[in-house]
Amino acid sequence: MIKKMRENQAVQEELIKHAILSINHTLEELYGTNHGTRFSVDVNEKSGLVVTLSKPDKKSRGINNMLIFSFDMMLIEMNKKLDRSLDFLFHDSHLFDGVDTTQTRTALLLAARKTKELNFQYITTVNSDIYSLFSNELDQYKLDLDLTDVEESGGLLGIRLQ
């Protein structure tokens, strides 16, 4: 089985390179050209296919969350490249926890641009205190729906969250 996986990896080499470049472009927009991220696809006997995306020089929740963002954007791009039908991406506001506001702004603007380029829908929730920092640039993309817990009628889909 390992032999077949390695053979398949060799056959898919160009797609893997494209995926790596996609992640790299996103991370360059977020952190500049010297972001130091490592992305690899390998095979091992215990777990089969191993995909690794890490930024070894800096460990933080925010950076790890932006690695997830970059990986997810790559998945959307690869789905479009392979003519598959994944037409939306959803991120909860937790993805932006611990992320510098500059990177949050860049990520949201990048997502807005990619939705037009790749014809998919990007859905995210963002806390109002963070959103207000760059709402002028993002208001054109905002769905006019505010979820609030200020009043007793507030909640999500009629459910009061505690």
Side-chain angles (χ1 to χ4, degrees), residues 44-76:
N44 77 32
E45 291 183 32
K46 280 188 168 184
S47 56
L49 189 64
V50 178
V51 177
T52 305
L53 180 61
S54 64
K55 192 167 173 49
D57 58 330
K58 294 186 178 168
K59 297 279 185 193
S60 80
R61 181 176 181 181
I63 289 173
N64 287 334
N65 288 352
M66 288 299 92
L67 291 176
I68 292 168
F69 175 86
S70 301
F71 190 83
D72 290 350
M73 284 294 161
M74 176 273 297
L75 290 177
I76 286 287

Side-chain angles (χ1 to χ4, degrees), residues 62-161:
I63 289 173
N64 287 334
N65 288 352
M66 288 299 92
L67 291 176
I68 292 168
F69 175 86
S70 301
F71 190 83
D72 290 350
M73 284 294 161
M74 176 273 297
L75 290 177
I76 286 287
E77 185 173 326
M78 295 305 291
N79 269 280
K80 293 299 181 175
K81 181 177 179 56
L82 297 170
D83 202 26
R84 295 186 178 152
S85 61
L86 183 62
D87 292 334
F88 72 95
L89 176 60
F90 181 88
H91 285 140
D92 184 75
S93 62
H94 290 296
L95 185 75
F96 301 103
D97 286 350
V99 177
D100 180 270
T101 54
T102 302
Q103 275 77 37
T104 299
R105 175 189 166 274
T106 302
L108 292 172
L109 289 171
L110 179 128
R113 190 181 78 240
K114 290 274 188 184
T115 62
K116 290 179 183 175
E117 289 174 13
L118 301 173
N119 193 29
F120 74 99
Q121 186 174 16
Y122 182 71
I123 304 163
T124 189
T125 56
V126 180
N127 293 337
S128 57
D129 58 330
I130 300 298
Y131 182 79
S132 67
L133 297 174
F134 33 81
S135 60
N136 291 343
E137 296 170 276
L138 295 170
D139 270 348
Q140 63 183 317
Y141 307 108
K142 180 184 176 200
L143 177 64
D144 197 16
L145 173 67
D146 289 314
L147 304 175
T148 180
D149 59 0
V150 173
E151 300 170 6
E152 197 58 35
S153 64
L156 180 60
L157 304 173
I159 300 169
R160 186 85 176 143
L161 304 175

